[in-house]
Amino acid sequence: MPKLIVICAMLGLLVPVALSQTAQVSAKPLTDEDIKLFRSDVQADKNKIIAHTMRFTDAESTTFWPVYRDFARDQQAIGDERVQLIKDYAQNYDSIDAAKAKDMVQRMIGIENKTGQLRESYWPKFEKALGAKRAAKFYQVDNRLTLLVNVQLASDIPLVP
């Protein structure tokens, strides 16, 4: 669980720096390369947490990790949309009007829907790799990691003015 706290702390660094454009802060804004490296580190930590929590057998490990790599890649594509939404929010924070607010909410709902669809589409693959009970445990672990990231983001992103 300490690794989980480290991930959340690292993710907490992402949003305040991105939002620093709206505040008088001397922090350097994150570049796309910074975000890419950061996300790579976070994914490595997620992999360690998953491996530690799941305690895969050799056979499970052989079937799970290839499916998970594809799942993580597809999660990252959705995460790219989320990062872009956060950047847009930070850039427009002081001038958000009703139309921009509506657009951002629609994008947020779309991201949430894509996340649910991704989980649904990968369920049969994880079930085949691990069996229903073990796949359900993995989904719990992945969901908890996602919830921790979401709580961190929610605490760091200011409400619409």
Side-chain angles (χ1 to χ4, degrees), residues 83-93 100 104 107:
V83 167
Q84 189 56 54
L85 178 59
I86 291 168
K87 285 180 173 180
D88 290 350
Y89 183 65
Q91 290 171 344
N92 293 288
Y93 181 77
K100 188 67 172 176
M104 288 185 167
R107 288 169 58 195

Side-chain angles (χ1 to χ4, degrees), residues 13-30 34:
L13 298 174
L14 175 65
V15 175
V17 175
L19 293 176
S20 69
Q21 298 169 16
T22 64
Q24 298 296 4
V25 178
S26 61
K28 175 187 125 191
L30 288 176
D34 292 335

Side-chain angles (χ1 to χ4, degrees), residues 60-123:
E60 286 175 333
S61 186
T62 299
T63 58
F64 172 81
W65 289 110
V67 175
Y68 180 73
R69 277 190 292 277
D70 292 343
F71 179 71
R73 179 201 62 228
D74 293 346
Q75 274 184 324
Q76 184 170 346
I78 296 168
D80 291 344
E81 291 181 47
R82 187 181 207 183
V83 167
Q84 189 56 54
L85 178 59
I86 291 168
K87 285 180 173 180
D88 290 350
Y89 183 65
Q91 290 171 344
N92 293 288
Y93 181 77
D94 292 324
S95 61
I96 292 176
D97 59 13
K100 188 67 172 176
K102 181 177 180 178
D103 171 68
M104 288 185 167
V105 168
Q106 289 173 335
R107 288 169 58 195
M108 179 187 67
I109 291 169
I111 290 166
E112 291 170 358
N113 288 339
K114 286 179 184 179
T115 299
Q117 291 166 357
L118 179 70
R119 288 175 189 266
E120 186 175 357
S121 72
Y122 270 86
W123 170 253

